[in-house]
Amino acid sequence: MAGAAAIPCVTLSTGHAMPVLGFGTGSSRAPPDLADTILHAVRLGYRHIDTASFYGTEPVVGTAVAEAVRSGAVGSRADLFVTSKLWISDARPGRVVPALRESLARLGLDYLDLFLVHWPVSTDGGAQVEFDMEGVWRGMEECHRLGLARSVGVSNFSAAKMERLVSLAAVPPAVNQVELNVGWRQEKVREACARHGVVVSAYSPLGALGTVWGSDAVMESGVLHQVAAAKGKTVAQVALRWVYEQGVCFVARSFNRERLEQNMAIFSGWELSKEDKETIATIPQKRASQGEYFVSPDGPYKSVDELWDGEI
Ligand SMILES: NC(=O)C1=CN([C@@H]2O[C@H](COP(=O)(O)OP(=O)(O)OC[C@H]3O[C@@H](n4cnc5c(N)ncnc54)[C@H](OP(=O)(O)O)[C@@H]3O)[C@@H](O)[C@H]2O)C=CC1
Ligand SMILES: O=C[C@H](O)[C@@H](O)[C@@H](O)[C@H](O)C(=O)O
């Protein structure tokens, strides 16, 4: 199996190993042959697939996982690491375990490797309500206790929210998945997570170019173009290698077979120099994923600043 050993793993606080590179399936333009592309990625050596109830890709991920096992691309389901996420409409005590069971039914799986609270946001009957962090987390802990999710974590949590979560958690969060790339380094979140043994996973490591909120700050960065040219690598490879060298895991999305190979060919044989990293550190910082849809004058978050606790 070409490259099967090439993607390293990190050990989560639960003791389970997570491949540092995940195959992202969150896209408004998922192709009709996505199951084949995922299967191809598994044959290349991808072992971690990132989905969410919100993405609508759980059924197709389930099809690909079943086919990967059936065709012998992997020995068993246990060779794969599947992440899914609790959407905001289910982020209420009492809805967490049922929502995970519904995700598992769509995936055709009996457990998830990682279940994340997608946003620190909650809706009830379509209206946004106060996010009950403790109540929702008790539900996540129950998912873990029932064996339905081997590890549980969060996404889009600021450093301040991480501190609060850790202080109330009986089962500590294993992962915080946040926007992180050369153009939004997330130093505060990384420090908070490191303090509490929480693994940071980067979403949009390439800047999510092509999404409504994505930015060209990564792929069109003059600095990255220079480093890439000097190293004989692509801009995407330099961007991903930078994330990896920060000790951060990442979920990258490509539905193109050549780019899938390119993105996993960053783990050995080269590294960024001290000078490269110093130049990359000069890239201006700007959050692309603001979460402005979760902000309204009469809602629990009255500004983007409140949503991110001023970390913006
Ligand atoms: N928790 C959360 O709130 C969020 C989680 N996510 C997760 O993270 C994943 C990745 O983030 P995402 O926002 O999709 O964006 P990425 O930063 O991964 O960027 C994806 C874009 O980069 C292109 N691309 C990928 N590889 C290369 C390459 N080697 N060279 C040039 N272009 C490349 C892709 O095009 P092509 O397919 O043509 O290669 C695609 O247009 C999502 O799919 C999702 O699973 C994303 C957003 C929010
Ligand atoms: O409605 C909200 C947005 O689409 C936002 O929720 C997504 O960007 C999401 O975080 C993702 O994981 O892709």
Side-chain angles (χ1 to χ4, degrees):
M1 207 181 305
I7 299 178
C9 286
V10 66
T11 303
L12 302 178
S13 54
T14 44
H16 293 287
M18 178 173 91
V20 304
L21 164 58
F23 179 107
T25 67
S27 169
S28 55
R29 282 174 290 177
D33 62 347
L34 181 56
D36 290 341
T37 308
I38 297 172
L39 194 56
H40 179 78
V42 171
R43 294 205 169 104
L44 288 174
Y46 282 76
R47 291 290 178 271
H48 176 178
I49 307 163
D50 182 87
T51 183
S53 145
F54 177 69
Y55 301 160
T57 51
E58 288 174 327
V60 76
V61 169
T63 302
V65 168
E67 186 54 20
V69 175
R70 197 205 57 77
S71 66
V74 291
S76 73
R77 183 267 174 259
D79 295 333
L80 294 169
F81 188 103
V82 180
T83 300
S84 193
K85 312 187 191 89
L86 177 82
W87 189 238
I88 60 174
S89 48
D90 292 314
R92 278 176 282 129
R95 269 307 299 157
V96 181
V97 173
L100 173 52
R101 289 193 194 280
E102 287 158 21
S103 278
L104 289 171
R106 285 188 290 269
L107 283 155
L109 297 178
D110 51 15
Y111 72 91
L112 281 182
D113 294 280
L114 180 63
F115 190 40
L116 304 176
V117 179
H118 205 143
W119 284 88
V121 172
S122 195
T123 62
D124 195 351
Q128 201 168 320
V129 294
E130 197 75 42
F131 176 66
D132 175 358
M133 188 187 291
E134 178 159 8
V136 169
W137 193 252
R138 296 288 169 248
M140 297 299 280
E141 289 172 338
E142 185 63 8
C143 293
H144 176 69
R145 256 190 302 275
L146 291 167
L148 300 176
R150 295 216 158 149
S151 302
V152 285
V154 295
S155 177
N156 296 299
F157 269 44
S158 64
K161 286 190 180 63
M162 283 314 296
E163 292 294 350
R164 205 181 137 222
L165 177 60
V166 166
S167 75
L168 62 80
V171 176
V175 168
N176 185 13
Q177 186 182 95
V178 293
E179 179 190 355
L180 193 156
N181 54 51
V182 294
W184 187 242
R185 291 193 292 270
Q186 292 274 24
E187 272 140 11
K188 231 176 151 174
V189 166
R190 282 156 61 188
E191 277 163 29
C193 288
R195 254 197 311 281
H196 299 293
V198 179
V199 167
V200 175
S201 174
Y203 74 71
S204 307
L206 300 171
L209 201 53
T211 64
V212 280
W213 50 268
S215 107
D216 61 4
V218 180
M219 295 304 288
E220 297 301 327
S221 156
V223 166
L224 287 200
H225 277 264
Q226 271 171 26
V227 175
K231 291 222 139 29
K233 299 291 174 188
T234 68
V235 169
Q237 286 178 317
V238 171
L240 297 177
R241 178 79 201 182
W242 177 86
V243 173
Y244 177 56
E245 289 189 20
Q246 304 301 304
V248 171
C249 297
F250 52 103
V251 181
R253 168 173 53 91
S254 180
F255 300 145
N256 172 285
R257 294 179 175 212
E258 190 195 315
R259 290 192 280 280
L260 277 169
E261 281 196 62
Q262 202 189 102
N263 294 351
M264 64 180 283
I266 62 148
F267 295 108
S268 57
W270 64 291
E271 60 186 11
L272 298 172
S273 66
K274 186 167 168 282
E275 291 72 31
D276 293 333
K277 281 184 267 205
E278 280 166 7
T279 325
I280 291 172
T282 65
I283 296 176
Q285 297 298 292
K286 188 170 188 304
R287 184 190 287 280
S289 175
Q290 303 265 331
E292 61 272 22
Y293 354 81
F294 305 129
V295 165
S296 75
D298 48 357
Y301 298 120
K302 304 206 176 339
S303 65
V304 168
D305 210 53
E306 276 187 18
L307 174 64
W308 301 106
D309 302 298
E311 299 167 27
I312 190 142

